[in-house]
Amino acid sequence: MSQDRNSPMHGVDTVAIDWALRMADPARADWDAFTDWLEADPGHAERYDRAAMTLLDAEQALAAHPDVPVPIEPEPVRRRPLRWIGGAVAAALVGAIGVTAWQDRPQPYAIETAAGQTRRIPLSDGSVVTLAGLSRIELDHAEPRRAMLSRGEALFQVRHDARHPFAVQAGAVALVDLGTVFDVRLGQQTRVAVAEGAVMVDPKGAALRLDAGQAVTVEGDRLIRSTVQPDEVGGWREGRLAFDGAPLGMVAEDVSRFLAQPVTVAAAIATRPFRGTIDLEAVRHDPAVLGPLMDVKVRRVASGWTLEPRE
Amino acid sequence: MPPTGLEAVFLANRDKLVRFLTARGAGDAAEDLVQDLWLKVAGRMDGPIANPLAYLYRAADMLMIDRYRSRRQAELREQDWAEGQGPEAPPGTERAVAARQTAEQVAATLAGLGERTATVFRRVRVDGIAQRQVAAELGVSISTIESDLRMAAHALAALKERIG
């Protein structure tokens, strides 16, 4: 089992859910270990009951209504036009933040990283932003609950406060945290991925809620949902980049943030999907390792490296 | 004639099952419940059981989940009563509509996770197919199945938090 979280009341109780799944699976059920876990804390039984009942009720609802269709393709969410945070959205947020923040003078500052560099930025409210390489974030000492990512990628570990939501403007997309760890990347595609808790994307428009293990990619005026492994979100901090079908162009863009010199992709294979995990340390040591991993030819060029189709 | 099969396993492991039920939230009622458990499984015997002890444990586990559900429903009824919403459960048709809505929300939540994850959850958890077999059907690894199930379960728990 993963780490024992002591606050089952807050959000989703991942520990209890893991037990509920495990004990329903004859191949993995270990009743002695489960008894030990139950005996470790008198509150565990009820946490397990709640998780197990939630799953059983969902399953029974599905079993009782086999005609309820499951769309093969998740419908992309149509969005109303995005609004910049400086307008009506900011006014609404200021209302939530309260008078004191409003009276404080803005003390904006920006932090930028070079390629290959990452930077941990603790904020005065207890939240932490980790900035990937080749990235830029704009913050304000007077308003620690707001951030604008204007380039690159950042992982947000937000100290949740329902009365003072943490707002992120990522390019053209507005986000509000609902309690949480999430990653935002800008580039050819803007992507938001949630590791813990939840995030509201475009709160004034589509108001799409993302829970742990969910991600959204912004393409034009559409939000396209996908799934991610929660523990792979922000994996770049440990030197890991995991992809599940991202186009090579986007993969190269991501990898380049962590290298001194960029990796580019030949147009012919830029949209080819890639599935796998990249060890950044190995790539830093020798970018040629990308060759067998992605089934491409890695060629040294003046500015860095380029990925080309294999002959 | 000495007891055989499931009954022998039950008798040999009665203390363990009592310990489990106690930890599982039954407290002092564990001794009574272990008797209820035996009456239930003994009356429902059909065909050989591959792993009788695991079967008994799971039956005990389900017994406790049912008890939890009854307790929750009683609490909700009391709450409705206290809040003046009336003690009546919704009439049959309303309840049927509500159940269908729940099914639709569950299906939509699963669909939002992607086709494979939704299929994995349905095959394993609703159709009751072994994880190994579902992995073979879909051409993915067991660990992919496990992580899909976990993702689906987390999303359903979040849905439950939202709609109560």
Side-chain angles (χ1 to χ4, degrees), chain A residues 8-15 17-18 20-25 27-28 31-32 34-36 38-39 41-42 45-46 48-50 52-63 65-74 209 211-214 225-230 244, chain B residues 16 19-20 23-25 53-55 57-59 61-62 64-66 68-69 71-72 96 99-104 106-118 121-122 125-126 131-132 143-144 146-162:
Chain A
M9 304 309 289
H10 176 77
V12 172
D13 188 347
T14 55
V15 174
I17 290 171
D18 277 355
L21 285 172
R22 186 171 158 192
M23 301 327 288
D25 174 10
R28 290 199 303 144
W31 295 97
D32 290 332
F34 182 46
T35 306
D36 289 343
L38 290 168
E39 286 176 344
D41 183 323
E46 183 160 353
Y48 172 82
D49 272 328
R50 183 163 41 198
M53 188 184 76
T54 297
L55 289 179
L56 289 170
D57 287 353
E59 290 148 24
Q60 279 163 13
L62 284 181
H65 297 88
D67 55 322
V68 169
V70 175
I72 295 302
E73 289 290 323
R209 181 191 162 108
D211 290 298
Q214 297 184 324
R225 269 200 268 205
S226 58
T227 56
V228 289
Q229 294 271 30
D244 188 12
Chain B
K16 285 180 80 173
R19 179 183 154 200
F20 172 69
R24 196 56 191 72
L53 184 56
Y55 175 84
Y57 265 115
R58 182 59 176 166
D61 192 38
M62 296 297 279
M64 294 308 293
I65 294 171
D66 285 344
Y68 175 77
R69 186 185 281 106
R71 207 163 65 234
R72 285 285 303 144
R100 189 177 173 86
Q101 275 174 354
T102 303
E104 283 167 356
V106 168
T109 300
L110 292 175
L113 299 174
E115 187 190 352
R116 189 194 66 209
T117 305
F121 187 85
R122 278 193 183 248
R125 299 280 313 194
V126 183
Q131 294 191 11
R132 189 169 308 279
S143 68
T144 299
E146 282 175 8
S147 87
D148 279 347
L149 285 175
R150 197 172 295 131
M151 204 183 296
H154 288 181
L156 291 174
L159 172 72
K160 171 87 175 166
E161 293 277 316
R162 211 153 58 239

Side-chain angles (χ1 to χ4, degrees), chain A residues 220-242:
Chain A
D221 67 342
R222 297 191 316 168
L223 295 172
I224 296 166
R225 269 200 268 205
S226 58
T227 56
V228 289
Q229 294 271 30
D231 51 0
E232 289 297 355
V233 174
W236 48 267
R237 289 177 306 160
E238 283 99 49
R240 242 177 22 250
L241 281 179

